Amino acid sequence: MRWRTRPISLRLTPFLPDSIYFIDTSAFSGCTKLKKDLKLNNANLKKIPNNAFNGDPITSVDFGCCPIEIIGSGAFGSCTSLKRVVLGGKDPVSLAGTTNVGIFEGSGVRDVELGDGVSSTGAYLFHNCSSLTNAVLGVGLASLSDRTFTSCSKLKTLVFRGFPTNNAGSAFPSWSDYQTLFIVPKENAGWQ
């Protein structure tokens, strides 16, 4: 008897039960039938590795109650269909460090909301996200990493609910031609 194998095309909706503690590098990368709205509600998932969803056709990512500690380089990079990202509710999340580089780099994201639990951003977090128009940064954000918003030429509104204490200038290099409205808390109206 001869066995024949054929590729199977499935509409994939990732369900990650609480028994899953990690997923492997490039686990879902290139899944062209991946469900468009990705909600990660696994209470034990602490790491999303490099390129995990790179290039996938997802339209929104909501990290829900995931206690994410690490999101690898390029995890959602080149996801050109990505329109909305919600990250870091009230649980502490730090995206600083060498592993959290270019997480959404080159994606089609338009709207970003970093919740109050996000304390820092990774370098090149939204680098080359040429469709990004609105970003809301939560109260807990203490620092913006190098080149967080580089080449985000369509960014129109950037809302700071809190006040980063570091020199955030390196997060916005070459912004002389941009027309971005920065909204900061009233007590920090003189922030430069």
Side-chain angles (χ1 to χ4, degrees):
M1 176 180 269
R2 295 181 74 180
W3 292 92
R4 285 188 192 178
T5 58
R6 273 193 283 188
I8 298 173
S9 177
L10 298 174
R11 179 125 176 114
L12 179 65
T13 303
F15 170 71
L16 303 175
D18 286 346
S19 59
I20 301 293
Y21 287 83
F22 66 90
I23 56 178
D24 206 356
T25 300
S26 302
F28 296 97
S29 182
C31 292
T32 58
K33 302 291 183 182
L34 192 66
K35 187 175 179 185
K36 293 185 182 281
D37 297 315
L38 183 63
K39 289 191 179 227
L40 298 172
N41 291 315
N42 181 311
N44 292 312
L45 187 63
K46 293 183 174 21
K47 177 182 178 183
I48 296 176
N50 297 350
N51 303 315
F53 297 92
N54 192 294
D56 291 342
I58 53 180
T59 56
S60 69
V61 178
D62 187 338
F63 287 87
C65 65
C66 280
I68 298 294
E69 295 171 1
I70 296 173
I71 303 176
S73 298
F76 297 92
S78 301
C79 291
T80 56
S81 298
L82 186 60
K83 303 299 178 227
R84 180 160 172 74
V85 172
V86 178
L87 173 64
K90 296 181 187 214
D91 294 324
V93 177
S94 173
L95 300 178
T98 57
T99 55
N100 299 322
V101 176
I103 295 169
F104 298 98
E105 185 172 351
S107 72
V109 66
R110 291 182 186 165
D111 295 297
V112 171
E113 183 176 345
L114 300 183
D116 293 344
V118 177
S119 61
S120 59
T121 63
Y124 295 89
L125 183 64
F126 298 105
H127 172 70
N128 202 25
C129 291
S130 58
S131 297
L132 182 61
T133 55
N134 301 298
V136 177
L137 309 178
V139 171
L141 188 66
S143 66
L144 288 167
S145 295
D146 195 30
R147 301 182 185 277
T148 300
F149 293 101
T150 303
S151 299
C152 296
S153 57
K154 292 184 182 173
L155 187 58
K156 298 297 176 201
T157 307
L158 186 58
V159 177
F160 291 88
R161 289 188 179 146
F163 187 68
T165 56
N166 74 323
N167 178 4
S170 67
F172 311 99
S174 305
W175 272 47
S176 59
D177 295 335
Y178 294 9
Q179 298 293 318
T180 304
L181 174 62
F182 287 76
I183 300 173
V184 298
K186 184 177 179 181
E187 61 272 14
N188 298 324
W191 183 57
Q192 295 183 12

